[in-house]
Amino acid sequence: MSLNNWTDERLTRAALGSLLRFGATSVLALASRYGPDEAWQRVRAGVEVIDRQPDDGDDDCRVPSGDAFAAWANATNPREVADSTEQAGLRFLIPSDPEWPMALGELEGCAVGSMGGVPVGLWAAGPGRLASWSRKSVAMVGARAATRYGESVALDMASNLAGEVGEPHWTIVSGGAFGIDSASHRGALLMRGHTIGVYAGGLDSPYPPGNYGLFKDLVDKGLVISELPPGAAPTRHGFLERNRLIAALSQGTVVVEAALRSGARNTATWAGELGRIVMAVPGPVTSSMSTTPHRLIRDGEAVLVSQVADIRAMLQPVGQGDELPLIGARRDGDDLVGDVAAVREALPGRGGKTLSEMVLLSGVTITSCLDALSQLASRGFAMMDDQGRWRAVRNAQQIRQVDC
């Protein structure tokens, strides 16, 4: 039984998508401008495609498609693409499908360098449904060569976000790679939560091969998607293009660990361009894997998050859910105001001050100073010695807080 309803539009979009394996990403802009049918005819005729030129200030330049594009297109049989999709047990999603997320439409006109555009279609596998699962989702990305600290943080955050008891569950979106990606996916799977793997190559031979066990778990219990057809090998360009999908499918992106030059940094850039919330986890200053999170925080491109509560507070709509406290926990004496607070601040921790000295140090009148000292003494914040000198004391509650 076929997994897809192969209408003419679905066949055409699958054929256009198959050209992405050759790096012909300009077909995305072509399909956006002319629609899939005319785009396919133009590419096959070798007329022209729209290409992006990142350095000329014009992101919508027309250039000849060249003989290569036409040759690739004419050598591509849409029915064969459909057959390979069915043989791999995949479904091919297009914008008119109920499973297609509206959020992907925000990629229209959004570019980072020479990359961007709404995908013409997506290959998918797994019981999850992309539109519903991505409606409330957070991307967790980071280094492949992650530290034990980074993997532990990612696993803990993902598991709590995906399945914390009594809290709304979030879908975890990541790239299926080693390191932070794997820890994030596995954290969600441990809690039987929702997680989406976004791959940069054909889903019939997922990359990296050493992570096939995770891929199998995602296909069995979660969802995997790719912009590339079966048989397509991942490329550096493909990984960068894939990052825009991770960012677009999520309401926010968390960078757990990443070196100076990393794909996670690129995903954060995409998230910022799309108006998504960018968050970063701080790490040891001695670790190179902390470089990108710390720079994102320093430059105001990301919000520091150190626990799941931080992420939830950032992602919840305004007025819904708990807000993070703007100050620390209240301490005994925080309610003191005016002259009483001024006198308390003037009290020495050691030695002692006479009443006259306290008046000078606090800047209040002698009457107000006497009254304030009396209040402070009654609450255990001040004491007077045998010589009439005043000093500060710690009450029992303060001592317990310090000792803890």
Side-chain angles (χ1 to χ4, degrees), residues 267-298:
T267 306
T269 300
W270 271 110
E273 288 293 322
L274 289 164
R276 306 295 198 263
I277 298 169
V278 182
M279 295 158 277
V281 177
V285 296
T286 54
S287 172
S288 62
M289 293 298 107
S290 301
T291 302
T292 285
H294 288 179
R295 289 198 175 192
L296 288 170
I297 295 168
R298 182 198 67 187

Side-chain angles (χ1 to χ4, degrees), residues 29-270:
L30 189 66
S32 176
R33 171 167 290 191
Y34 298 110
D37 290 336
E38 185 174 348
W40 179 238
Q41 296 305 321
R42 282 174 171 267
V43 172
R44 292 185 66 197
V47 178
E48 61 185 5
V49 297
I50 301 169
D51 208 354
R52 299 188 190 281
Q53 306 293 330
D55 299 323
D56 61 7
D58 183 1
D59 285 343
D60 205 17
C61 265
R62 290 191 186 186
V63 297
S65 66
D67 295 335
F69 284 174
W72 291 331
N74 284 293
T76 299
N77 185 329
R79 285 290 175 184
E80 291 180 356
V81 178
D83 289 342
S84 66
T85 299
E86 295 288 342
Q87 290 168 8
L90 307 175
R91 56 188 187 273
F92 182 67
L93 311 179
I94 61 175
S96 59
D97 289 333
E99 194 178 346
W100 187 268
M102 297 288 290
L104 291 178
E106 297 178 42
L107 288 167
E108 181 73 44
C110 185
V112 172
S114 61
M115 302 178 189
V118 180
V120 293
L122 293 170
W123 280 267
R129 288 298 178 261
L130 188 58
S132 58
W133 279 26
S134 62
R135 194 168 293 123
K136 187 173 183 179
S137 58
V138 55
M140 294 190 64
V141 297
R144 290 173 173 81
T147 67
R148 186 171 297 178
Y149 160 81
E151 291 184 338
S152 175
V153 168
L155 183 75
D156 179 69
M157 285 185 167
S159 62
N160 280 284
L161 286 167
E164 187 173 2
V165 176
E167 294 287 348
H169 297 174
W170 289 82
T171 296
I172 305 301
V173 182
S174 200
F178 292 126
I180 299 303
D181 287 12
S182 291
S184 301
H185 287 306
R186 293 201 181 282
L189 291 170
L190 281 172
M191 302 300 292
R192 298 182 181 179
H194 295 168
T195 183
I196 301 171
V198 186
Y199 284 79
L203 296 179
D204 57 332
S205 54
Y207 181 90
N211 231 10
Y212 182 78
L214 172 62
F215 176 81
K216 185 67 167 54
D217 286 342
L218 291 173
V219 171
D220 291 342
K221 307 168 188 175
L223 178 65
V224 293
I225 63 170
S226 176
E227 193 175 11
L228 295 175
T235 63
R236 180 181 180 277
H237 187 274
F239 279 112
L240 295 175
E241 287 280 4
R242 178 275 307 269
N243 292 340
R244 82 190 197 284
L245 303 181
I246 294 177
L249 288 170
S250 310
Q251 284 74 69
T253 293
V254 180
V255 180
V256 180
E257 277 191 326
L260 181 60
R261 296 176 61 85
S262 73
R265 178 66 178 88
N266 179 257
T267 306
T269 300
W270 271 110

Side-chain angles (χ1 to χ4, degrees), residues 330-337 339-352 358 371-385 389-399 401:
R330 292 187 62 83
R331 297 179 300 174
D332 212 15
D334 283 352
D335 59 323
L336 299 177
V337 295
D339 291 348
V340 178
V343 172
R344 186 191 181 193
E345 289 296 322
L347 285 167
R350 294 183 179 182
M358 287 299 302
D371 181 60
L373 288 169
S374 175
Q375 292 186 47
L376 292 170
S378 67
R379 294 186 55 177
F381 292 118
M383 67 172 293
M384 184 178 67
D385 61 19
R389 294 177 176 272
W390 291 89
R391 68 176 177 86
V393 294
R394 294 185 302 177
N395 63 19
Q397 181 179 353
Q398 290 175 308
I399 292 174
Q401 288 175 339

